[in-house]
Amino acid sequence: MHGDGPRPPTAIEPTARVRIAAVGDVHLGEDSGGSLRPALEELPDCADVLLLAGDLTRHGTLAEARVVAREFAELAVPVIAVLGNHDHHGDVPEEITALLTDHGITVLEGSAVTVPVAGIRLGVAGTKGFGGGFAGKCASVFGERQMREFAGHTVDLAAALHTALAGLDTEVTVALTHYSPIGDTLHGEPLEIYPFLGSYLLGEAIDACRPQLAVHGHAHHGCERGTTPGGTRVRNVAQPVIRAAFAVYELHPAVLTG
Ligand SMILES: [Fe+2]
Ligand SMILES: [Fe+2]
């Protein structure tokens, strides 16, 4: 990620920290306006940024997206989101992205953003991601056109996540997806549906770049905590899992060597 030799010393305080609030799968409907707002108004007391891990709507309609936009607009902390599969169901993900963006929400898809937080540069790279399953038990880009398209979609989005992560040069880096990069955080879900819940290719992209944290949603019956094979902490923040308006994780700048 930093191929040009050691970084120069920085002036970051040893006690510096970034408090990441995150939630996914809020699945707001047209009648959900205001349901999260009271809790969200408390965000500045406990977090520096809010990450939304997709499935913000129920059916991916613009009417639902307008509720989402109003719910998360004008918070006192930056809001960074990816869309989920439900947000694609209405076939208007670009319009939803534009609507959220108009309300000050950053929507990532194979892209990244850098946010200054308390003297630290926080980088967030995100993609919806997709399914396909996990090593040894996964779909491959082979056979019928439909199967190649299914497996290829994951390959493309994982590659985009890798590129977005690799392009960040930040003291604290987070990967944000809707689908899971690992199987650990799916425990509680039926094994038979793991290939529809995530892909190891997302985990490989994360392990190639080693962010401090990876956040995802989508697995409503999974568990909160896991780790990639390379050692990055993974948190499933699907609201049915965390059972709160949001979870908060504290991160410290990477130890700079050389
Ligand atoms: Fe969901
Ligand atoms: Fe989902």
Side-chain angles (χ1 to χ4, degrees):
M1 191 157 53
H2 311 291
D4 299 320
R7 283 179 172 190
T10 66
I12 295 170
E13 293 291 326
T15 55
R17 62 177 184 171
V18 179
R19 301 166 301 168
I20 309 281
V23 64
D25 303 86
V26 293
H27 288 289
L28 298 186
E30 292 184 49
D31 57 353
S32 303
S35 56
L36 296 173
R37 195 71 195 192
L40 296 174
E41 300 289 359
E42 309 291 322
L43 266 172
D45 296 334
C46 57
D48 301 302
V49 64
L50 174 64
L51 306 185
L52 300 176
D55 276 5
L56 309 177
T57 65
R58 292 179 187 163
H59 302 101
T61 66
L62 281 175
E64 291 176 346
R66 274 190 278 276
V67 174
V68 172
R70 283 195 293 268
E71 201 75 358
F72 293 101
E74 296 175 6
L75 296 178
V77 300
V79 181
I80 302 166
V82 294
L83 300 186
N85 55 312
H86 281 247
D87 308 320
H88 279 251
H89 187 68
D91 275 335
V92 288
E94 291 86 1
E95 289 88 339
I96 290 176
T97 295
L99 180 62
L100 297 180
T101 303
D102 284 347
H103 285 73
I105 298 165
T106 299
V107 181
L108 302 176
E109 181 46 71
S111 54
V113 64
T114 299
V115 182
V117 176
I120 299 170
R121 287 173 302 163
L122 165 67
V124 181
T127 178
K128 171 181 67 68
F130 196 49
F134 299 90
K137 310 174 187 66
C138 56
S140 59
V141 186
F142 185 86
E144 300 93 326
R145 178 171 51 80
Q146 291 87 348
M147 192 64 195
R148 285 181 274 125
E149 287 174 353
F150 177 90
H153 188 46
T154 306
V155 170
D156 292 344
L157 297 191
L161 177 64
H162 185 173
T163 301
L165 278 169
L168 286 170
D169 182 14
T170 45
E171 287 84 36
V172 172
T173 306
V174 177
L176 174 63
T177 62
H178 180 60
Y179 286 78
S180 179
I182 60 169
D184 288 6
T185 48
L186 305 182
H187 288 160
E189 297 278 7
L191 275 173
E192 290 85 351
I193 68 168
Y194 274 32
F196 303 105
L197 297 178
S199 167
Y200 77 103
L201 295 174
L202 298 169
E204 285 193 341
I206 289 165
D207 278 344
C209 301
R210 300 298 303 269
Q212 281 97 327
L213 178 69
V215 170
H216 74 88
H218 190 50
H220 292 206
H221 302 288
C223 61
E224 184 181 2
R225 292 165 180 263
T227 309
T228 65
T232 291
R233 283 184 287 168
V234 179
R235 298 292 181 260
N236 175 5
V237 296
Q239 197 160 52
V241 171
I242 61 171
R243 297 172 184 268
F246 49 83
V248 179
Y249 308 105
E250 191 169 300
L251 300 177
H252 297 266
V255 175
L256 303 181
T257 57

